[in-house]
Amino acid sequence: HMQLVESGGGSVQAGGSLRLSCVASGDTDGSYCVGWFRQVAGKEREAVAAIYTGAGSTFYADSVKGRFTISLDNAKSTVYLQMNSLKPEDTATYYCAAGWSVLEMGWADEYNYWGQGTQVTVSS
């Protein structure tokens, strides 16, 4: 079993930056995929970025390519999402998720564990 805790959200003006953290505890051994998803009230949850701990492969949504960077610190069991050049459309609740048998990194249904979410608000 694994527990995930997100942090780092907040309010920022357009063009600013935030760094989200996802700290994993419990069964963190082996290779697994960690993804960041976001959701706005009334809209479908969408994948933002993901990283596979073993292979190091990454996934980015087209809307965040060149602005967001996902990274992994194995020693701290933490995945980061560095968000630069933030836009108002990035405003959402951001969730961290982990899965052991993820083949489609942008598909939320393939992840097994989810964090509680952290709010990101970008004002214009």
Side-chain angles (χ1 to χ4, degrees), residues 23-56:
V23 180
S25 61
D27 296 333
T28 59
D29 294 335
S31 179
Y32 56 93
C33 187
V34 178
W36 286 97
F37 296 80
R38 65 188 183 187
Q39 187 170 28
V40 178
K43 292 190 175 183
E44 192 70 38
R45 177 174 51 190
E46 65 173 347
V48 177
I51 185 169
Y52 221 101
T53 62

Side-chain angles (χ1 to χ4, degrees), residues 4-12 16-24 34-39 46-51 60 64 67-73 76-84 86 90-97 115-122:
L4 304 172
V5 179
E6 305 100 328
S7 63
S11 298
V12 64
S17 298
L18 287 172
R19 190 189 196 193
L20 305 184
S21 298
C22 174
V23 180
V34 178
W36 286 97
F37 296 80
R38 65 188 183 187
Q39 187 170 28
E46 65 173 347
V48 177
I51 185 169
Y60 292 98
V64 306
R67 299 189 299 119
F68 291 10
T69 302
I70 189 169
S71 61
L72 170 70
D73 187 336
K76 298 181 179 180
S77 296
T78 301
V79 172
Y80 302 97
L81 184 66
Q82 179 66 46
M83 306 186 296
N84 298 326
L86 284 163
D90 295 318
T91 295
T93 301
Y94 284 71
Y95 297 90
C96 179
Q116 78 288 352
T118 184
Q119 179 66 37
V120 172
T121 302
V122 184

